[in-house]
Amino acid sequence: MVYFEGFGQIIQQWYKQFKRHLPWRETSDPYLIWLSEIILQQTRIDQGLAYFNRFAENYPTVEKLAAASEDEVLKLWQGLGYYSRARNLHFTAKTITREFGGQFPKQYSDIIKLKGVGEYTAAAIASISYKQPYAVVDGNVYRVLSRIFGIDTPIDSTEGKKAFKQLAEDLLDRNNPGDHNQAVMEFGAIQCTPKNPNCAACPFCDRCFALQGKAIERLPVKQGKVKIRHRYFNYLVYDLEESTFLTKRTSNDIWKNLYQFPLIETAYKAEVESLHLESELPINNSIGDISEVTDWKKQVLSHQHIHYRFIHVQLKNKKNLPTDLIEVNKKDIFNFAVPKPVEKQLNYLNWF
DNA sequence: CATCCGTGGGA
DNA sequence: TTCCCAAGGAT
């Protein structure tokens, strides 16, 4: 490995010059640092920034977040994805309020026990908020270190994770771990990008292994390939005077604890006429008439492709509906947290 | 430990 | 269109 002195100084100097000014960089409040880190897990800053501002304004302290309902927190999180982050965020706010008296824990060993906080997030909070010497390893760190030092161990292997973690710890500027960590990540985010990195203006251009070996496009190395599962969702949009009906997705599945229109899932793009065989939900009989069936659309998730459509049913009464349906006044429906396909249909329906 | 969990932007 | 992947964590 081509190892050299001064990595921390060089990258922190770059950081001072080029870093973006972001709200969580204006504070050392561990609550806000934690909030920003949860929001930014697997999420670009451009996508998460508005959510951070919204959460920080609605819940300025951990106690305020803890006092909210999960439904309210999920509604504020709606559209950001990976909803377990929101559920764990709320759960942990209650934990901190109850077990730590509202004071965010300072020991790494306590921080990493918090639900939704893993090695990366614990190191980020400890270093950024408390200046403790823990090195972060995220997607940016993998990319920057693999290129500069020419490491082709797959980043999604156990061996790779261990090697990059060790290197990140070796390189860490223990006098300024928070800025050092953020510098490496920011460098990966806006300079050493996955595609078309700005090597011409790179402070490491004279010693970067990948640049000299023409390996920029090859690094970092990943081995994993995800297999995609296809599912078919037939949503039933019931219409009964001022009301429609929702269900809550409580099972261990995608979009857990979000709300949706009553759903008939099928193994393929089934005919509308056959749907009554799959469910007790009224569709087209003495108590309901189909008024519209939308085209199939597709929602892409990380491991699933959801093919979905909406079947509008004019209901004559609500007597034969399953008891788990939640009757909702149409003008109140925007209070519920819903997944993206349902949100799109609500915007199309324009109920309010 | 391999798999699952969202959404959106860029090439 | 298709593919990659982004301040990861839980199970």
Side-chain angles (χ1 to χ4, degrees), chain A residues 278-297:
Chain A
E278 312 281 343
S279 167
E280 298 301 316
L281 289 165
I283 302 174
N284 193 7
N285 52 31
S286 60
I287 58 175
D289 287 311
I290 294 173
S291 59
E292 183 188 354
V293 178
T294 69
D295 291 334
W296 289 98
K297 294 172 185 171

Side-chain angles (χ1 to χ4, degrees), chain A residues 124-270:
Chain A
I125 295 169
S127 64
I128 297 170
S129 195
Y130 300 126
K131 298 185 182 300
Q132 294 172 15
Y134 293 92
V136 300
V137 182
D138 74 334
N140 293 304
V141 176
Y142 284 130
R143 185 169 55 257
V144 171
L145 298 188
S146 69
R147 285 176 176 169
I148 294 178
F149 297 100
I151 304 168
D152 59 4
T153 315
I155 62 174
D156 53 351
S157 67
T158 304
E159 183 189 357
K161 285 173 185 162
K162 192 175 162 191
F164 282 99
K165 174 80 171 166
Q166 182 63 52
L167 177 55
E169 286 174 358
D170 292 346
L171 293 168
L172 180 66
D173 176 3
R174 304 176 67 84
N175 293 318
N176 218 344
D179 280 344
H180 176 103
N181 281 332
Q182 293 188 82
V184 182
M185 293 190 285
E186 187 77 338
F187 185 77
I190 64 179
Q191 174 91 17
C192 192
T193 49
K195 305 288 181 189
N196 303 321
N198 187 8
C199 299
C202 178
F204 300 104
C205 63
D206 60 336
R207 60 199 109 183
C208 175
F209 178 97
L211 181 58
Q212 293 170 5
K214 303 187 191 306
I216 293 292
E217 300 298 325
R218 191 171 57 79
L219 294 172
V221 174
K222 282 184 194 171
Q223 60 185 5
K225 8 180 178 330
V226 292
K227 60 176 179 182
I228 299 300
R229 176 180 161 209
H230 290 262
R231 299 170 74 178
Y232 303 88
F233 285 6
N234 302 271
Y235 288 109
L236 298 182
V237 183
Y238 286 129
D239 196 326
L240 179 61
E241 298 173 353
E242 298 299 305
S243 294
T244 188
F245 295 84
L246 299 179
T247 61
K248 188 173 183 178
R249 296 183 62 87
T250 54
S251 60
N252 257 353
D253 194 359
I254 58 172
W255 300 324
K256 183 176 178 180
N257 288 4
L258 271 60
Y259 293 82
Q260 65 184 6
F261 291 115
L263 173 63
I264 301 174
E265 181 172 359
T266 47
Y268 52 94
K269 292 185 178 178

Side-chain angles (χ1 to χ4, degrees), chain A residues 20-34:
Chain A
R20 292 167 287 184
H21 293 277
L22 299 163
W24 51 87
R25 289 181 177 158
E26 312 292 325
T27 180
S28 61
D29 180 351
Y31 164 66
L32 293 176
I33 302 296
W34 165 64

Side-chain angles (χ1 to χ4, degrees), chain A residues 38 45 68 124 136-137 149 229 264 274 307-308 313 316:
Chain A
I38 301 300
I45 285 175
V136 300
V137 182
F149 297 100
R229 176 180 161 209
I264 301 174
S274 70
H307 305 263
Y308 66 94
V313 177
K316 291 169 183 159

Side-chain angles (χ1 to χ4, degrees), chain A residues 81-146:
Chain A
Y82 285 139
Y83 297 91
S84 66
R85 292 183 295 167
R87 288 185 271 110
N88 290 336
L89 183 81
H90 184 231
F91 180 92
T92 291
K94 292 193 285 186
T95 300
I96 293 171
T97 298
R98 179 172 16 89
E99 295 182 16
F100 296 90
Q103 291 294 106
F104 206 95
K106 290 190 173 181
Q107 292 295 325
Y108 178 89
S109 56
D110 289 328
I111 297 172
I112 201 169
K113 285 179 193 158
L114 301 172
K115 193 166 278 189
V117 174
E119 273 192 48
Y120 162 78
T121 303
I125 295 169
S127 64
I128 297 170
S129 195
Y130 300 126
K131 298 185 182 300
Q132 294 172 15
Y134 293 92
V136 300
V137 182
D138 74 334
N140 293 304
V141 176
Y142 284 130
R143 185 169 55 257
V144 171
L145 298 188
S146 69

